[in-house]
Amino acid sequence: MTDSTATDTSGELAENSSRSVTIEGRPLILARHGGERFLYANLCPHAAETLDPLGGNLSNDAGDLLRCQRHGAEFLTRTGECVAGPCLGEHLEAVPFTAVGDDIYLD
C-alpha cells in the first residue's frame, strides 16, 4: 500500500469485514459488504476520535454494521448512518473514491 492508494485484494479485505487504511494522509475505514466497498473517514461523530483505537475489524459478522470501539455506536455499512449508540441519527463521513482493480483512489 502506498500513501496515495489503498490496495484491497480478497486476501486483505474479506467480504463482511473492514479495516483502517491511510490514503493521502487521511485515516479512513474501508469496508466490504454485499460485494461492494465503502470508504469512510475514521472519525466517530460522537467523540470526534478514531473508531478503532484497538485496531482490527469493525464489522459485525453479517458485515452490515460497523461498530465504534470507543462507545459502541453502530453504523450501517452501506450508508454510515448511526443506528445505535450515543450518536443516533448522525452519519460517518463518506469519502468518494474510484476503484481501479484492487486499488482505491480518492476522488
Side-chain angles (χ1 to χ4, degrees):
M1 179 173 14
T2 68
D3 194 46
S4 61
T5 65
T7 300
D8 169 26
T9 63
S10 59
E12 289 182 12
L13 188 64
E15 179 68 18
N16 297 330
S17 69
S18 60
R19 66 180 171 96
S20 62
V21 296
T22 300
I23 305 175
E24 296 179 9
R26 292 186 64 185
L28 305 168
I29 296 293
L30 176 63
R32 182 185 287 270
H33 175 63
E36 295 181 64
R37 289 177 281 194
F38 303 90
L39 193 63
Y40 296 103
N42 189 353
L43 187 69
C44 179
H46 163 251
E49 297 183 72
T50 60
L51 297 161
D52 63 341
L54 305 175
N57 185 16
L58 297 176
S59 299
N60 66 348
D61 289 343
D64 59 341
L65 294 172
L66 300 169
R67 184 181 183 116
C68 177
Q69 295 172 346
R70 293 185 187 274
H71 299 103
E74 294 182 337
F75 303 89
L76 296 174
T77 300
R78 291 191 179 278
T79 66
E81 179 185 2
C82 181
V83 294
C87 53
L88 188 63
E90 295 185 56
H91 288 79
L92 296 175
E93 177 191 346
V95 177
F97 69 95
T98 300
V100 179
D102 291 336
D103 292 333
I104 293 173
Y105 300 89
L106 300 185
D107 289 344

